[in-house]
Amino acid sequence: MLDLRRLQLLREFAEQGTIAATAASLGYTPSAVSQQLAALEREVGAQLLDRSARSAELTETGRLLAEQAEQILAMVEAAESVLAEQRGVVTGRVTVTAFPTGAVAFAPRLAERLRRHSAMQLVLRQTMEGSGVRQVSAGEADIALVDIWTGRPPDTGAGKIRHELLLRDPMVLAVPEDHQLADPARPVELHRLVGESWIAAPQGEPSRYGTDALLADVGGAPAAAWEFEGLATILGLVSRGIGIAAVPALALTAGTTGLAFRRLPGEAPARGVYASVRAASLRRPAIDVTLRALRRAAGDVQRDLAEVLDRIPGA
């Protein structure tokens, strides 16, 4: 009998490519991963990894088993979901990961709606941008709240992952409270702001796509733009007069003082906020009630965003 946890390790190794990356992804030590994969080789009776002093890669047998592991693990989860559905009782632990501003906005609403299900446990974790879908795919999380700036939904992994659009979150301009644009009578003209000190996420971060799209028609983001990770950090710097920034409207929930916000001219770039979940787990009652709670919470968040945007001076 093949050990399912070891199959999960093999599948993760196939995705990550190294023992160290697999260990970091799943929260193990490299030594533990190596030992478990060696134990799997003994179970199978074949070499799965071709090891050298500095690296390891899958053998042909290892690649074949990793492909089968994907299907085996999905079938096991689907069977567990059907059995849970038959029992009709909402039980078990559901792990939700979310990007930071999504976690802040959704956590209280989600907890309020799920607390009546006393036999289930909700775990909500903040995650690094861009890693939510990978965590769901690897089985580290059940549902991920992910933000997508491209206008296209995330990849489904050949149907393995389902994505549901929950809301759209437009960008707004954040400036220090003593900035000239803190005066609502002054128009927001992007071409006049190119010379400002812009603070943006580093290249490759999801929110940087929104800043680049916003400034594309006026020459793009300045080459000397300050780059910092994390919207809370960016807003803190803006509040200290270091520069200006374009941020998602959900960032207004951070409560940072010393800031003024303005709506952007035209159709501002917006991110889509999606709930991503493994297709094999959709029939689990706990997953179903959590997704329904997320949909209702998203409706509340969208209404709150609309009210906040109505109070922000226009361009």
Side-chain angles (χ1 to χ4, degrees):
M1 179 72 70
L2 296 177
D3 187 286
L4 294 179
R5 290 175 300 173
R6 291 169 184 158
L7 285 177
Q8 184 183 22
L9 279 173
L10 181 67
R11 180 189 65 180
E12 189 68 11
F13 177 84
E15 292 185 3
Q16 299 294 333
T18 69
I19 295 289
T22 302
S25 172
L26 297 178
Y28 298 138
T29 65
S31 175
V33 171
S34 184
Q35 290 173 14
Q36 290 301 310
L37 290 176
L40 182 60
E41 287 180 316
R42 291 193 294 272
E43 288 178 348
V44 174
Q47 185 178 356
L48 303 176
L49 272 64
D50 186 7
R51 297 173 175 84
S52 68
R54 294 186 177 182
S55 65
E57 61 181 26
L58 291 173
T59 63
E60 184 61 29
T61 301
R63 283 191 289 271
L64 289 173
L65 184 57
E67 292 172 1
Q68 293 298 314
E70 187 80 35
Q71 300 177 42
I72 291 167
L73 293 167
M75 290 174 67
V76 169
E77 183 169 29
E80 291 173 343
S81 296
V82 170
L83 292 174
E85 183 184 40
Q86 290 295 317
R87 290 195 298 269
V89 179
V90 180
T91 61
R93 173 182 172 127
V94 176
T95 300
V96 179
T97 66
F99 55 95
T101 51
V104 171
F106 277 83
R109 296 172 172 89
L110 197 56
E112 182 180 359
R113 287 180 166 83
L114 293 178
R115 63 184 177 182
R116 66 186 180 88
H117 298 288
S118 58
M120 72 169 284
Q121 179 187 11
L122 172 69
V123 177
L124 194 148
R125 299 172 179 157
Q126 290 191 21
T127 188
M128 295 294 291
E129 290 191 53
S131 66
V133 174
R134 186 202 59 75
Q135 291 185 36
V136 168
S137 178
E140 301 166 39
D142 298 301
I143 301 171
L145 289 179
V146 297
D147 55 339
I148 302 295
W149 288 93
T150 62
R152 300 184 300 273
D155 181 65
T156 63
K160 176 184 173 183
I161 306 294
R162 301 285 179 84
H163 307 285
E164 180 177 341
L165 179 63
L166 296 177
L167 60 88
R168 292 185 62 77
D169 182 19
M171 277 191 143
V172 295
L173 183 68
V175 299
E177 61 183 359
D178 59 354
H179 191 277
Q180 60 177 352
L181 287 180
D183 179 359
R186 287 184 175 269
V188 176
E189 299 174 299
L190 292 177
H191 67 279
R192 296 183 181 275
L193 297 176
V194 175
E196 295 266 358
S197 294
W198 282 84
I199 304 174
Q203 289 286 351
E205 293 291 329
S207 60
R208 178 59 181 263
Y209 182 93
T211 300
D212 290 345
L214 173 68
L215 298 175
D217 291 339
V218 292
W226 296 84
E227 294 186 354
F228 290 90
E229 289 188 347
L231 285 174
T233 300
I234 290 172
L235 289 174
L237 292 169
V238 173
S239 72
R240 288 168 172 77
I242 305 299
I244 66 175
V247 298
L250 268 181
L252 275 64
T253 61
T256 306
T257 59
L259 295 169
F261 294 95
R262 298 291 302 274
R263 291 201 301 274
L264 291 162
E267 185 175 351
R271 62 179 172 179
V273 176
Y274 289 81
S276 300
V277 61
R278 290 183 301 279
S281 70
L282 284 171
R283 294 180 68 174
R284 267 182 63 196
I287 297 294
D288 179 60
V289 300
T290 303
L291 285 172
R292 285 191 277 117
L294 280 170
R295 294 182 193 111
R296 293 194 293 271
D300 293 342
V301 172
Q302 192 79 80
R303 285 189 291 273
D304 289 348
L305 275 181
E307 292 177 3
V308 167
L309 290 170
D310 283 344
R311 294 195 296 268
I312 295 176

